Amino acid sequence: MNETDKTKKVATPQQQASAVEMQAAGRGELSQEELDELVASSDTGARTPPGLVGKLILTVALCWSLFQLWIASPLPFMLDFAIISATDARAVHLAFALFLAFMAYPAERSPFQLGLGIGVPLILSGLFIYGAPGDMPAWWIGLIAAGLIAAILLGSPKNRVPLWEWLLALIAAAAALYVFYYSDELGRRVGAPLRQDLVVAVIGLMLLLEATRRSLGPALMIVATVFLVYTFLGPYMPSIIAHRGNSLTEVANHQWITTEGVFGIALGVSTSFVFLFVLFGALLDKAGAGNYFIQVAFSLMGHMRGGPAKAAVVSSAMTGLISGSSIANVVTTGTFTIPLMKKVGFSSEKAGAVEVASSVNGQIMPPVMGAAAFLMVEYVGIPYFDVVKHAFLPATISYIALVYIVHLEAMKAGMEGLPRSYTPPPILRRLLTGAFIIAGICALSLAVYYGMGWIRPAFGANSPYVVFALLTAAYVALLWVASREEPLQIDDPDAPVAALPLPGPTVRSGLHYILPVVVLVWALMVDRLSPGLSAFWATAYMIFILVTQRPLMVWLRGADRSGNTSTGRALRSGADDLVDGLISGARNMIGIGIATATAGIIVGAVSQTGVGSALADVVEVLSGGNLLAILALTAVLSLILGMGLPTTANYIVVSALLAPVIVTLGQQNGLIVPLIAVHLFVFYFGIMADVTPPVGLASFAAAAVSGGDPIRTGVVAFFYSLRTAALPFLFIFNTDLLLIDVGWVQGIFVFVTATIAMLLFAAATQGWFLVRNRIWESAALLLIAFTIFRPGFFWSYAYPPFEERPGSEFVQALEDSDPGEGLRLRISGLNDIGTPVEFAALLPVPAGETGEDRLAAAGIELIQDGDRTVIDNVAFDSPAQEAGLDWDQTILAVQAPVATPSSYWIYVPAFLLLGLLVWAQRRRAGPAETSQSGKDARHA
């Protein structure tokens, strides 16, 4: 196994705990052998037995990748062969994941895990017997549970697969394939399952939860079990969350037979999109791109203050672009970056915390976002391009702020960068060179964009072949450039660093790795293909590069990166890389496939029981209706629900439970938030659970690499991540940060000002700006940052943006407003369950000559009942219906926008205060104090 393979492994929670115990016993940083064992992956499975069984596991993983490539490609439709529907594909996808989960993951036998493995089947069997139809014997449910418990008690060796685990794997796969083989019959008897349907559903649910325990640890299994208990025992719950309860027939039908539960949207997204992106990342890493990204980051940033830490942030950002796991990011880049950070002066805890903060941030960075981007497309109902556009700015600002935090830490400790092996040119020459490079990239981008636009009409159906030929020409040219440089080697992080690699040769040695990413971005952003088809074409081109780069290097350089000088051997090595990449991509997907299926149980329980409305009531009672308290409680609940869950399952759970809470309670308290902002809010806080103690799986993984204390690492990482925690609150109230209804010029302005504000926020929370902050300076920095982020907050007190009028003046307010403006309406009515509520609605003003014309264009009919203005009817698919209006609601008040001076004028006093603060700190920034501050920080 090469070093790249080793670093792709990820520690399970149990392995992380054992590592912490070893560190607590005084062993400190783990050896390479211990680290290799520690990170036996929760992504790929820790068991590959020798002999035929091990080869079978690898073969099944290879077949899974080939199946996913087949259903994603246009070939089934071109050949009219083996066309598989989306629902059937989900069943096959889950069958592969379940089979490999039982074959590749030995069951943990700690007392807690063993108790959980026995207890959950007992609880589920009791629930299923309680809810079973009266004419059905209960013994068969007990028999299923007894068989599963017996298999767990018999043990799960790590070096072989015993007979009982073969049975579990085959039965679990068969339960999933049942939906595939009987899809037509199941479709004809929806809501009236047969006895065999119930048997299969019971077996499937029990084995899915056991597979979850093996591959993902206890957290998701416990959460899903709690929701199943709630589904059956609704009448016995506290009154605020009670419901009528559901029978086994209803649960089995909802969770396993239909697409509302296990086989729902989440598993569909995993099948259609996520697998291909994970496979694309695995192939890119197998080709050598992972090491290339790290080396480029170090060559460009290693010479700066705290350079290795800044390079760790940048390399983690590049890895996070294609990765679906924050813990995988930590281990992939951390085994190289953490030791180098320690060499330049970072403590073990701070080095691990920087890696954790940057790796977790990779999950909020488009285009993949830990697979959440594709789920948002389905849940929010907007195009993928819009999801990327809305998520890009906050993620970029967060990464810039993290680089600045690293810089501040380096300043505190008086650190220097790593030595360079060359003398940099003068600053003016570097600026000119940078300007020419940027101009060249822009010119090339325009040429490619308009060139592609010309190719399509000119060549028609043959244009894909022309585009492929042009890409291949660019690939060969870039490979020729790379052949002029020495091949990149995977450095030993424990070896002394004599000098940094040269930036130019390092960048030129792997430019061809950018081409598949270009194909992906082009297909997604320009051609606007579906994410699945875009990932397929990018993966197909990545396969072409993986197979051909070694023989082409032999032809161009005389040897490939492994030293092969024979074209035949290089071609075989390329084919081996391809097979290894396909297997690695499939094994990386086992946990994600299981996670999306298990999260589907939670989503199904939410839709079946209506717990979302009950949870909104709980949050409202606890918050007392205060808007900030509502958001804070939702953030805390997202953190709790996200503990121990992988990114994909994490987002599914928190969005299903908590996104409706913010929307509902926000409307009732006068805050109208776009749905994408709400989903990003809960997503940000869900992934923060990977950082925060006591769970903080990413912090445990980083501590195992650094030899530091995991709890302290998590605490430091949390403070580094405060900027990420602040952003969701800010874009809830200022949606300009998400580029919603923002043009290019304003978007650039928002980016610049928001970046300045986030840097000031980081300086305030780190207690250091130009020198160590005094208390009033940190408070002033926070005030300035908040003012820049939300210029309208203070401005609205001097110039209210809305004029409030009674509901009886609604028609007149429509006439007085300009078309396209939004009227805010305060509405009284009933919610979905018949409870009286008040809420806010935003109605765009339609075109029309008079107020009555605009009222009709909005789709509203009114009646006047004394002093009450009542909505008598709302037209179907009208602007009023989209705004949430309905018949028999009362319009209490209308808030019409009024002309006010630009809120950006508040920037003038804010920047004057910033100038005063800079002047005060520069007066103190003498050499003596700066030196003493560095000594103090090092002593601390």
Side-chain angles (χ1 to χ4, degrees), residues 255-281:
Q255 294 284 9
W256 200 263
I257 305 302
T258 69
T259 56
E260 296 295 325
V262 170
F263 297 96
I265 290 175
L267 189 64
V269 171
S270 177
T271 306
S272 304
F273 308 146
V274 178
F275 190 103
L276 290 170
F277 277 88
V278 171
L279 179 61
F280 176 70

Side-chain angles (χ1 to χ4, degrees), residues 654-679:
V654 296
S655 63
L657 283 174
L658 299 175
V661 172
I662 297 180
V663 172
T664 302
L665 297 183
Q667 279 191 324
Q668 292 177 13
N669 289 272
L671 178 67
I672 301 170
V673 189
L675 195 56
I676 182 65
V678 173
H679 278 255

Side-chain angles (χ1 to χ4, degrees), residues 48-56:
T48 305
L52 289 176
V53 176
K55 291 179 180 177
L56 174 67

Side-chain angles (χ1 to χ4, degrees), residues 707-782:
D709 179 81
I711 300 299
R712 288 181 61 191
T713 300
V715 170
V716 176
F718 173 75
F719 280 101
Y720 288 166
S721 301
L722 281 176
R723 77 215 184 282
T724 306
L727 277 169
F729 285 95
L730 294 167
F731 61 59
I732 283 286
F733 292 100
N734 181 10
T735 56
D736 286 353
L737 289 172
L738 301 180
L739 301 180
I740 296 176
D741 298 326
V742 170
W744 279 102
V745 175
Q746 188 182 359
I748 294 171
F749 177 77
V750 168
F751 172 71
V752 172
T753 55
T755 302
I756 293 171
M758 184 52 70
L759 297 182
L760 296 176
F761 178 83
T765 55
Q766 294 303 305
W768 192 286
F769 188 32
L770 303 180
V771 294
R772 188 179 302 279
N773 295 340
R774 292 170 177 165
I775 294 177
W776 73 267
E777 290 172 336
S778 292
L781 285 170
L782 287 174

Side-chain angles (χ1 to χ4, degrees), residues 368-392:
V368 178
M369 296 169 61
F374 314 114
L375 290 160
M376 286 182 190
V377 170
E378 302 296 328
Y379 289 157
V380 182
I382 61 176
Y384 174 80
F385 177 81
D386 288 347
V387 171
V388 171
K389 180 183 76 172
H390 298 322
F392 176 76

